[in-house]
């Protein structure tokens, strides 16, 4: 009787490449393979099969960018508005 590890093709053979392509196309298989190899990532790092993407880090505008303090400091840093003549 053979064990599942006996059926694993050698790396970089044509069968191994076909298997890797099938695994990488399926998030469930990819997670199972990574877990078996000890490379498991947190669940949110795997591609989801559907749903909307939130846009990632930095996709939302900063809070209070329209505040008076923000505008005043921006003008002060870049010498605009009432700070145009300051040195």
């Amino acid at each position: 009787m053979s064990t599942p590890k006996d059926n694993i093709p050698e790396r970089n053979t044509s069968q191994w490449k076909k298997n890797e392509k099938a695994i990488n196309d399926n998030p469930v298989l990819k997670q199972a393979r990574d877990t078996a190899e000890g490379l498991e990532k947190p669940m949110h790092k795997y591609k989801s099969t559907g749903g909307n993407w939130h846009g990632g880090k930095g996709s939302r505008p900063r809070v209070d960018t329209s505040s008076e303090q923000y505008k005043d400091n921006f003008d002060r840093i870049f010498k605009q508005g009432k700070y145009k003549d300051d040195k």
Side-chain angles (χ1 to χ4, degrees):
M1 184 163 101
S2 66
T3 62
K5 291 198 178 224
D6 293 338
N7 296 331
I8 297 174
E10 294 292 321
R11 281 188 169 252
N12 295 321
T13 61
S14 62
Q15 185 60 50
W16 181 83
K17 290 176 184 177
K18 288 177 189 176
N19 291 351
E20 283 297 306
K21 182 172 179 0
I23 289 169
N24 287 327
D25 289 343
N26 186 327
V28 174
L29 293 176
K30 188 173 184 178
Q31 184 180 13
R33 188 258 335 261
D34 290 350
T35 302
E37 292 181 359
L39 303 172
E40 185 174 7
K41 303 175 194 173
M43 196 55 194
H44 67 277
K45 294 289 184 179
Y46 291 97
K47 268 188 197 174
S48 67
T49 55
N52 292 331
W53 185 50
H54 60 80
K57 183 177 178 179
S59 64
R60 281 188 268 151
R62 292 184 179 182
V63 179
D64 292 335
T65 55
S66 60
S67 71
E68 286 304 313
Q69 181 185 9
Y70 181 89
K71 290 177 186 176
D72 192 44
N73 288 336
F74 184 89
D75 290 344
R76 183 176 290 161
I77 291 168
F78 295 105
K79 308 288 188 221
Q80 296 175 356
K82 64 182 178 181
Y83 299 101
K84 195 172 192 176
D85 297 328
D86 287 353
K87 296 200 183 222

